[in-house]
Amino acid sequence: MNDKPQVIRDTDDDARRQARILLRGARFAAIGVIDPESGFPFVSRVLLGMDRDGAAVILVSNLSAHTTALIADPRASLLTGEPGKGDPLAHPRLTLQCTAETVERDSDAHQRLRARFLARHPKAQLYIDFPDFRFFRLRPERASLNGGFGRAYHLSSTDFLIPKFNDDLFGSEEASLRELGGTHPGLATHIAQNIHGAPKGEWRLTAVDSHGLDIVFKDLLIRHEFVTPITDIEHLLLELPKSVYAVP
Amino acid sequence: MNDKPQVIRDTDDDARRQARILLRGARFAAIGVIDPESGFPFVSRVLLGMDRDGAAVILVSNLSAHTTALIADPRASLLTGEPGKGDPLAHPRLTLQCTAETVERDSDAHQRLRARFLARHPKAQLYIDFPDFRFFRLRPERASLNGGFGRAYHLSSTDFLIPKFNDDLFGSEEASLRELGGTHPGLATHIAQNIHGAPKGEWRLTAVDSHGLDIVFKDLLIRHEFVTPITDIEHLLLELPKSVYAVP
């Protein structure tokens, strides 16, 4: 299902990269769930995190409507890509359809998602450990990219899945980030300011996976997608100079 | 269904006014519909208009996914209230659940919605008369207001319905706007700049109903809600000095 009347274009690597950046670079999203009482859709706003495999992540209270709805029916949709000034329909946006997966409290997955979520949203520290809070993973099923007027594409789950690193890197993302930060202290700021034209600031790496890097400064988030996936940290450093591409 | 875990507060007139402003002052919204193929929610972005009775209005192509979905199942949801800087969850937002009503092309309703939509979104002139474009009215059923952390309210359809003016005014909104503009040429700019602290510009009145005024300048929209509903134009001019209240 696409959200624009125009003819759908053939999905190419540029469209895939733009779609990934729209999802992975979003600090928040509109989430649609199905209201179990009425069957109506219910759209609200959530902070967005990402798991290492490309699933989106939300942090919710057991008392919230999201949780009730997603336990009753795990089908959900996310809209990301915020409009700036001017015509809101001229700005690229992504509609993702996804299936919610519960994450048990205190499981390994919970600990991993907690660390990643806090790195991206430090203020969530205030409530992330409340006993009634939990994560859902939102596994991508399919998506529609609207890259602005006349540019619509369909995407599949495989366009959003992130292959694993080798075990060393995949085994400890925190250690990889520490290593990168230690050996290349200016890397995050360099990528943010020089490649993405971001404002000056003390940018820091908050996530690394084989598809790219998350770089954060205060309330700003940049998703730096590599042109080709990497397989280890050395590969990452070799890849970086080639990974410059136009920011959408 | 509420979208926050906190206790729901008793709905008062301040909450109703804030909810109305969040809906009526929104130039665009995230709309959730039910994908007839998969049953998943599908959230995308639409420009938003308003009918005089308080129904939200969208302009869609017959070829679009919205149209297909809403014809198959008229249940929809809108999210309005855009976050600015800082924590996205600290900004007020409104989740509306609504039922889509078709509007026949070239009906009186179509002409009314067309004029109101163009006044608010002049750039829609480019495609509003394409033969495959049409309007849906989205009749409010119920809503959840999240006024920021710890401020959640439930609202009903009656909180969004706008009573009719007397027949003279209700019969010709355009004439009323012309009259207001002729007799009080600085009114829109006065309300925008002096009451709402909006940037300087050539603000113009684009809609009037018994609950308030729409005031537009370029890509900015202000919804000026009266403190108490008015019944005619004279009442409006008498009411205006009293209608000053804090902009949310």
Side-chain angles (χ1 to χ4, degrees), chain A residues 34-48:
Chain A
I34 296 175
D35 181 343
E37 291 171 24
S38 66
F40 276 64
F42 185 93
V43 183
S44 55
R45 184 166 295 131
V46 285
L47 293 183
L48 206 61

Side-chain angles (χ1 to χ4, degrees), chain A residues 27-233:
Chain A
R27 294 180 62 242
F28 60 92
I31 185 170
V33 296
I34 296 175
D35 181 343
E37 291 171 24
S38 66
F40 276 64
F42 185 93
V43 183
S44 55
R45 184 166 295 131
V46 285
L47 293 183
L48 206 61
M50 293 295 298
D51 202 354
R52 284 186 306 197
D53 66 351
V57 171
I58 58 173
L59 174 66
V60 295
S61 161
N62 284 331
L63 304 174
S64 79
H66 307 313
T67 309
T68 310
L70 291 175
I71 287 173
D73 188 333
R75 294 177 292 186
S77 179
L78 294 174
L79 172 67
T80 60
E82 288 304 297
K85 293 184 177 179
D87 188 337
L89 299 188
H91 291 266
R93 65 269 187 197
L94 181 77
T95 295
L96 185 74
Q97 290 178 308
C98 41
T99 303
E101 300 174 344
T102 55
V103 176
E104 294 303 316
R105 288 276 302 195
D106 305 319
S107 62
D108 287 351
H110 179 95
Q111 291 305 318
R112 178 180 74 242
L113 298 183
R114 182 183 179 283
R116 290 193 130 233
F117 202 87
L118 276 181
R120 183 183 273 219
H121 301 291
K123 290 175 187 164
Q125 182 80 55
L126 291 172
Y127 50 87
I128 200 168
D129 291 327
F130 284 0
D132 63 310
F133 272 70
R134 63 191 290 181
F135 291 104
F136 280 104
R137 282 167 38 89
L138 302 174
R139 193 182 65 233
E141 301 288 353
R142 71 198 77 81
S144 291
L145 165 67
N146 191 316
F149 292 117
R151 298 190 59 239
Y153 303 87
H154 287 171
L155 297 110
S156 67
S157 61
T158 54
D159 293 326
F160 294 94
L161 297 177
I162 298 178
K164 284 192 181 188
F165 275 16
N166 67 36
D167 282 350
D168 279 350
L169 185 50
F170 201 67
S172 173
E173 183 180 16
E174 282 185 67
S176 301
L177 289 170
R178 267 199 308 276
E179 183 187 333
L180 270 174
T183 55
H184 299 77
L187 185 62
T189 297
H190 169 75
I191 296 173
Q193 295 177 188
N194 298 345
I195 297 181
H196 294 267
K200 288 189 178 177
E202 295 188 10
W203 293 86
R204 59 196 172 83
L205 292 176
T206 58
V208 55
D209 55 64
S210 58
H211 277 190
L213 302 167
D214 288 4
I215 306 173
V216 167
F217 170 58
K218 291 187 176 172
D219 288 316
L220 303 174
L221 166 65
I222 290 171
R223 171 64 185 186
H224 180 80
E225 283 280 307
F226 305 134
V227 172
T228 54
I230 61 165
T231 52
D232 58 38
I233 285 282

Side-chain angles (χ1 to χ4, degrees), chain A residues 1-3 5 28 32-36 38-45 61 65 75 77 79 81-83 86 88 95 97-98 219, chain B residues 1-3 5 28 32 34-36 38-45 61 65 75 77 79 81-83 86 88 95 97-98 219:
Chain A
M1 187 161 130
N2 60 294
D3 73 333
F28 60 92
V33 296
I34 296 175
D35 181 343
S38 66
F40 276 64
F42 185 93
V43 183
S44 55
R45 184 166 295 131
S61 161
R75 294 177 292 186
S77 179
L79 172 67
E82 288 304 297
T95 295
Q97 290 178 308
C98 41
D219 288 316
Chain B
M1 189 162 127
N2 60 295
D3 73 333
F28 60 92
I34 296 174
D35 181 344
S38 66
F40 276 64
F42 185 93
V43 183
S44 55
R45 184 167 294 132
S61 161
R75 294 177 292 185
S77 179
L79 172 67
E82 287 304 298
T95 295
Q97 290 178 308
C98 41
D219 288 317

Side-chain angles (χ1 to χ4, degrees), chain B residues 32-87:
Chain B
V33 296
I34 296 174
D35 181 344
E37 291 172 23
S38 66
F40 276 64
F42 185 93
V43 183
S44 55
R45 184 167 294 132
V46 286
L47 292 184
L48 206 60
M50 293 295 299
D51 202 354
R52 284 188 303 196
D53 65 351
V57 171
I58 57 173
L59 174 66
V60 294
S61 161
N62 283 332
L63 304 173
S64 79
H66 306 313
T67 309
T68 310
L70 291 175
I71 287 173
D73 187 333
R75 294 177 292 185
S77 179
L78 294 174
L79 172 67
T80 60
E82 287 304 298
K85 293 185 177 178
D87 188 336

Side-chain angles (χ1 to χ4, degrees), chain A residues 12-23:
Chain A
D12 56 20
D13 283 346
D14 283 347
R16 290 187 186 93
R17 186 180 297 126
Q18 186 177 25
R20 289 166 175 164
I21 291 171
L22 283 169
L23 179 64

Side-chain angles (χ1 to χ4, degrees), chain B residues 73-148:
Chain B
D73 187 333
R75 294 177 292 185
S77 179
L78 294 174
L79 172 67
T80 60
E82 287 304 298
K85 293 185 177 178
D87 188 336
L89 299 189
H91 290 266
R93 65 269 189 196
L94 181 78
T95 295
L96 185 74
Q97 290 178 308
C98 41
T99 303
E101 300 173 344
T102 56
V103 177
E104 295 303 316
R105 288 276 302 193
D106 305 319
S107 62
D108 287 350
H110 179 95
Q111 291 306 317
R112 179 180 73 239
L113 299 183
R114 182 183 179 282
R116 289 193 131 234
F117 202 87
L118 276 181
R120 185 183 272 218
H121 301 291
K123 290 175 187 163
Q125 183 80 54
L126 291 171
Y127 51 87
I128 200 167
D129 291 326
F130 285 179
D132 63 311
F133 272 69
R134 64 190 290 180
F135 292 104
F136 280 104
R137 282 166 39 88
L138 302 174
R139 194 183 63 232
E141 302 287 354
R142 68 197 79 81
S144 292
L145 165 67
N146 192 316

